[in-house]
Amino acid sequence: MRAARLIKMVLLLQSRPSMTAAELARELEVSERTVARDVLSLSEAGVPVYADRGRAGGYRLIGGYRTRLTGLGRSEAEALFLSGVPTALREMGLADAASAARLKVSAALLPELRDAAAGAAQRFHLDAPAWYQEPGTPALLPAVADAVWDDRRLTARYHRKDREVGRELEPYGLVLKAGVWYLAARAGGTPAPGPGGTPEAAPAPDSGSYRVYRVDRFTAVTATGERFTRDETFDLPAFWAARAEQFARSLLRAEVVLRLSARGVRQLPYVTERAAAREAIERAERAGPPDEHGRLTVTLAVESADIAYAQLLALGPEGEVLAPRALRERFAAAARGAAALYD
């Protein structure tokens, strides 16, 4: 632990002209007294650390000293590619590895390029969670992430509808979508033991199929210690894109017929499921031109009448519901209520 801290101190001093004891203490998460002791240890080991006295003083390396301890370890290199997603790194337990990697890269850069990292951080930040939601970190996420990084099988128990089931999984990748963590994994074929020590009665999924699991629904995760052979043809972004589209389509179980103004046609993809809206518009445009009032009649796939009502209200007078009749009457009642309110 102390050796790692001394190395980090040298890398910090190598990447900056000088640092005060308070700055070093904050970066290393130790006291200023510990910083002074560590500086003394470095000096005794032959590292030329010089202390400037006075209000503007601090510690710096002299004589153009450069350490060769800048080689990236595997975990640091992997974490470096995620360094633009600080929240995800922290939740997966990789913040320290990413910090060490950034320091090593910074120490290896030419002096005139060392502000590149700060410049990028000041100009780009990814805030993954959706608006109006409190992001929560699943307690078992670090354990799942460790298994993903090491290609190790794990046994997991998770909530599925109204019961808890268990499986042995080959964890292939993690996806953070709107503040929610998902695991893409292949089922191992042998169910994990149930609470009574017996395998789950439900049949296991096809061992060659990839499935998606919400990490916050896991109730227990245990790494088996056994590595699996990763399918190198597996493409996580492509897999997720296909599954996300499939999931979105599976929710659209009802249809609504709308008559839209030109402005309503432009607005529709922004108030309801975007792909479904575009398909409905394209299908209507292929069927024929708008009517004499410039309105286009579309048949839109929706999740339910209730959700369609909440979404399509945003169109206001730019969209008229034609069917189903019950939904049209609901919109008519809302229009009469609004008219009375503003009369």
Side-chain angles (χ1 to χ4, degrees):
M1 181 71 177
R2 183 165 187 260
R5 189 174 71 240
L6 292 174
I7 292 172
K8 186 174 182 179
M9 178 181 286
V10 173
L11 292 173
L12 283 167
L13 293 173
Q14 185 172 311
S15 63
R16 306 180 193 182
S18 69
M19 295 184 70
T20 65
E23 289 171 337
L24 284 169
R26 186 168 56 252
E27 290 280 357
L28 300 173
E29 298 180 347
V30 296
S31 67
E32 293 186 29
R33 181 170 294 183
T34 300
V35 168
R37 285 199 298 265
D38 286 350
V39 167
L40 181 60
S41 297
L42 287 173
S43 296
E44 291 173 350
V47 178
V49 182
Y50 179 76
D52 288 320
R53 305 297 180 185
R55 174 178 291 184
Y59 296 101
R60 61 186 176 88
L61 293 174
I62 61 174
Y65 179 85
R66 297 185 67 79
T67 177
R68 295 184 179 275
L69 299 174
T70 53
L72 290 177
R74 181 177 181 82
S75 63
E76 295 168 347
E78 290 170 337
L80 186 61
F81 286 101
L82 292 170
S83 58
V85 200
T87 303
L89 281 168
R90 185 171 57 254
E91 293 181 356
M92 288 191 292
L94 296 172
D96 288 343
S99 176
R102 286 192 295 269
L103 271 176
K104 290 181 178 182
V105 170
S106 180
L109 291 173
L110 294 172
E112 60 268 24
L113 298 179
R114 286 178 188 160
D115 63 345
Q122 290 169 353
R123 289 165 174 80
F124 175 78
H125 174 68
L126 176 63
D127 184 10
W131 288 107
Y132 314 118
Q133 293 183 8
E134 281 294 328
T137 303
L140 297 174
L141 178 61
V144 174
D146 284 344
V148 170
W149 286 117
D150 293 339
D151 292 341
R152 294 189 184 277
R153 287 189 175 90
L154 54 81
T155 57
R157 300 200 61 78
Y158 62 97
H159 288 295
R160 189 172 68 187
K161 295 183 179 178
D162 59 346
R163 64 194 180 104
E164 186 178 282
V165 299
R167 291 287 181 266
E168 181 176 292
L169 302 174
E170 295 178 352
Y172 266 68
L174 285 164
V175 176
L176 178 60
K177 170 70 172 179
V180 179
W181 284 95
Y182 297 88
L183 172 69
R186 187 161 56 181
T190 302
T198 57
E200 183 68 36
D206 175 10
S207 61
S209 66
Y210 297 97
R211 301 206 171 193
V212 176
Y213 304 84
R214 274 186 63 147
V215 178
D216 59 6
R217 291 182 183 166
F218 284 120
T219 59
V221 169
T222 305
T224 65
E226 179 185 357
R227 291 183 180 273
F228 64 89
T229 302
R230 175 176 285 267
D231 180 0
E232 297 300 331
T233 64
F234 178 76
D235 184 333
L236 180 59
F239 167 79
W240 177 258
R243 281 303 173 92
E245 181 178 356
Q246 179 185 351
F247 175 73
R249 288 179 180 277
S250 72
L251 297 176
L252 307 179
R253 302 186 181 96
E255 286 186 343
V256 173
V257 180
L258 297 166
R259 188 154 50 210
L260 301 170
S261 67
R263 185 176 181 183
V265 170
R266 294 193 299 270
Q267 288 180 339
L268 187 64
Y270 298 98
V271 301
T272 186
E273 208 283 318
R274 185 163 297 188
R278 287 175 174 167
E279 287 181 7
I281 292 168
E282 290 172 2
R283 194 164 51 241
E285 289 175 339
R286 287 196 299 269
D291 62 18
E292 65 273 17
H293 302 292
R295 291 183 169 257
L296 186 70
T297 300
V298 304
T299 300
L300 175 69
V302 295
E303 190 170 343
S304 69
D306 286 341
I307 291 177
Y309 175 76
Q311 293 174 336
L312 298 177
L313 274 175
L315 292 176
E318 308 303 328
E320 177 189 0
V321 175
L322 303 178
R325 184 174 184 82
L327 185 60
R328 177 179 174 83
E329 291 174 352
R330 193 172 175 184
F331 270 88
R336 286 193 295 271
L341 187 64
Y342 288 98
D343 188 5

